[in-house]
């Protein structure tokens, strides 16, 4: 038997464990050309909250009573395919199941054994790729510029900051605890940090931490923090709308500052970014991230929860800021 996690009901506000249901199914039989996969690490990501809404988006919504899915690292435990052998490891978009069959199409075979398997869900997976490719395509950092990033201690944000340092920028991070601020400075080399939960005036604190203004703002959170960042941008600033976790659980989108005056005055560029649009650049990007990793120019954090039963809880914990770096579950 194999466990499966389905969406029982669409969350209203912050997701709760009661929104998910555990079911069991028989271990599937595989046919010619198919493989049987056992999940090893399951990625839980903020964007999955969007897929729990019944709304059109760049990726279709999850269906009620059907399995959820995310990036998973899995082991091939049986193979009737010429492309995979028993014992191979793969990463790809897979269902939240302990065991599942697959044709292998679209899966990435993991061949580099020098990095831990879980890294393919973080630094060498979609979050590392997001940080790198959004900076390459929109941020276009120049040496000496100031880069501000929110969600700075998270999977995407911590990589963004380190790439900023590699490119010779002043890097300032925004995160939700003093421990996270100390950590991004000591481990990842951020020049300064702001705790958005304890600051009395985030706009002024950004101004103090960015005395030359903000050239690139990498936005992972949206909301009031975006408004405060926008009041500190320089001429020709680039603003990357990567995520908006501060509004993902809101049933009504909160109203904020009008940005058009600033955008015109500063001749700024603000652009949304979806990593999947850049799939043709993934292999080159992984090569670059892997080489920085090997040279110790990039470090990464993981917050690992243990056990398949804890996947929904780990997902909910992201919205409580319980993770540093990539949140994932070791099955
Ligand atoms: P993180 O590892 O950064 O985890 C999310 C973090 O967000 C939490 O740890 C928490 O840290 C912070 N957070 C939670 N609630 C709030 C809030 N209300 N206001 C401000 N911060 C909050 O997640 P990822 O690195 O996986 O993702 C970061 C962002 O990037 C998300 O918005 C995600 O949707 C987006 N993303 C976008 C992609 C794309 O292609 N566009 C691809 C991948 C991710 P803290 O303690 O600091 O509050």
């Amino acid at each position: 038997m194999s466990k499966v996690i389905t969406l029982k009901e669409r969350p209203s506000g912050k997701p709760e464990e009661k929104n998910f249901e555990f079911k069991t199914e028989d271990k599937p039989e595989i046919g010619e050309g198919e493989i049987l996969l056992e999940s090893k690490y399951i990625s839980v990501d903020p964007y999955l909250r969007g897929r729990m809404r019944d709304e059109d988006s760049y990726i279709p919504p999850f269906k009620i009573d059907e399995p959820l899915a995310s990036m998973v690292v899995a082991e091939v435990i049986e193979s009737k395919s010429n492309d995979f052998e028993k014992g191979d490891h793969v990463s790809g978009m897979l269902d939240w199941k302990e065991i599942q069959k697959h044709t292998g199409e679209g899966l990435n075979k993991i061949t580099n054994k020098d990095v831990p398997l879980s890294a393919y869900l973080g630094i060498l997976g979609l979050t590392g790729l997001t940080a790198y490719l959004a900076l390459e395509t929109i941020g276009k950092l120049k040496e000496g510029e100031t880069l501000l990033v929110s969600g700075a201690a998270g999977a995407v944000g911590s990589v963004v900051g380190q790439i900023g340092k590699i490119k010779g920028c002043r890097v300032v991070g925004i995160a939700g605890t003093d421990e996270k601020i100390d950590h991004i400075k000591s481990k990842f080399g951020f020049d300064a940090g702001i705790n958005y939960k304890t600051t009395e005036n985030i706009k002024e604190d950004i101004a103090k931490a960015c005395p030359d203004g903000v050239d690139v703002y990498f936005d992972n959170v949206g909301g009031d923090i975006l408004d405060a960042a926008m009041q500190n941008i320089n001429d020709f600033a680039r603003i990357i709308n990567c995520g908006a976790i501060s509004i993902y659980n809101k049933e009504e989108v909160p109203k904020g500052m009008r940005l058009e005056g600033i955008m015109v005055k500063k001749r700024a560029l603000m652009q949304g970014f979806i990593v999947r649009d850049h799939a043709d650049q993934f292999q080159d990007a992984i090569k670059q991230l892997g080489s920085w990793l090997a040279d110790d120019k990039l470090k990464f954090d993981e917050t690992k929860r243990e056990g398949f039963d804890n996947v929904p809880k780990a997902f909910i914990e992201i919205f409580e800021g319980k993770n540093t770096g990539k949140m994932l579950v070791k099955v």
Side-chain angles (χ1 to χ4, degrees):
M1 299 295 273
S2 155
K3 284 190 213 166
V4 182
I5 305 171
T6 62
L7 184 64
K8 189 171 176 200
E9 59 188 6
R10 300 197 184 280
S12 161
K14 189 174 153 221
E16 297 175 76
E17 291 200 55
K18 70 179 175 77
N19 305 141
F20 303 89
E21 186 166 19
F22 284 83
K23 296 181 180 169
T24 51
E25 59 182 25
D26 290 336
K27 186 174 147 190
E29 297 285 325
I30 54 168
E32 245 355 274
E34 290 184 329
I35 50 179
L36 196 62
L37 296 171
E38 186 175 70
S39 299
K40 293 289 173 197
Y41 293 97
I42 297 180
S43 175
V44 288
D45 305 86
Y47 82 93
L48 299 171
R49 177 66 181 87
R51 293 193 70 187
M52 292 173 192
R53 289 179 198 279
D54 192 13
E55 271 175 19
D56 273 350
S57 184
Y58 60 94
I59 186 161
F62 291 121
K63 294 192 180 132
I64 299 293
D65 284 337
E66 293 201 4
L68 293 119
S70 66
M71 290 301 286
V72 173
V73 167
E75 183 174 334
V76 178
I77 54 171
E78 282 175 33
S79 176
K80 289 187 181 170
S81 155
N82 295 330
D83 301 326
F84 297 90
E85 284 177 25
K86 188 172 176 223
D88 282 348
H89 285 96
V90 297
S91 66
M93 187 59 67
L94 293 169
D95 287 343
W96 284 4
K97 294 183 174 189
E98 286 178 310
I99 293 177
Q100 59 199 293
K101 67 175 180 176
H102 205 277
T103 60
E105 202 185 320
L107 297 182
N108 162 46
K109 202 192 282 190
I110 298 174
T111 50
N112 179 357
K113 305 283 179 204
D114 295 337
V115 284
L117 286 172
S118 53
Y120 287 88
L121 299 181
I123 187 86
L124 298 180
L126 286 185
T127 53
L129 289 166
T130 298
Y132 177 73
L133 289 169
L135 286 174
E136 284 292 296
T137 55
I138 305 171
K140 299 190 196 316
L141 289 170
K142 295 187 211 73
E143 198 178 337
E145 287 190 324
T146 297
L147 165 67
L148 176 69
V149 54
S150 52
V156 173
S158 58
V159 181
V160 167
Q162 292 179 83
I163 295 175
K165 290 314 298 175
I166 291 170
K167 301 272 179 184
C169 297
R170 175 171 176 81
V171 176
V172 176
I174 302 172
T177 66
D178 288 346
E179 291 72 30
K180 287 186 178 183
I181 298 299
D182 289 344
H183 185 68
I184 58 175
K185 290 198 276 189
S186 60
K187 179 163 180 181
F188 299 127
F190 282 59
D191 298 289
I194 298 163
N195 179 342
Y196 73 90
K197 289 191 181 157
T198 55
T199 176
E200 281 172 16
N201 186 327
I202 188 159
K203 176 187 151 198
E204 279 174 19
D205 280 351
I206 293 173
K208 273 185 221 147
C210 306
D212 297 328
V214 174
D215 298 298
V216 173
Y217 173 50
F218 197 114
D219 188 24
N220 285 315
V221 303
D224 295 343
I225 296 176
L226 170 63
D227 291 349
M230 291 300 292
Q231 294 172 76
N232 282 288
I233 61 170
N234 286 334
D235 288 352
F236 305 107
R238 286 84 71 203
I239 297 98
I240 303 166
N241 297 122
C242 173
I245 194 165
S246 76
I247 62 170
Y248 288 171
N249 290 330
K250 307 262 190 226
E251 292 308 310
E252 293 225 348
V253 178
K255 293 200 168 64
M257 235 173 69
R258 307 267 349 166
L259 299 177
E260 54 272 54
I262 297 176
M263 294 299 292
V264 173
K265 197 164 74 183
K266 299 291 183 184
R267 289 88 86 208
L269 171 77
M270 179 184 270
Q271 192 177 337
F273 177 85
I274 296 293
V275 68
R276 282 157 221 275
D277 293 341
H278 303 271
D280 60 330
Q281 295 169 64
F282 281 4
Q283 286 319 316
D284 286 345
I286 289 172
K287 228 180 263 169
Q288 177 61 82
L289 290 164
S291 127
W292 281 332
L293 208 51
D295 294 345
D296 216 19
K297 288 185 177 159
L298 273 189
K299 299 183 171 64
F300 65 96
D301 282 334
E302 291 173 339
T303 302
K304 262 190 215 142
R305 301 294 184 233
E306 299 266 336
F308 187 76
D309 292 356
N310 283 320
V311 173
K313 187 164 183 284
F315 169 66
I316 294 164
E317 284 183 311
I318 292 176
F319 297 95
E320 298 163 351
K322 296 268 174 69
N323 63 307
T324 307
K326 183 75 195 96
M327 183 64 128
L328 47 90
V329 176
K330 183 174 190 297
V331 177

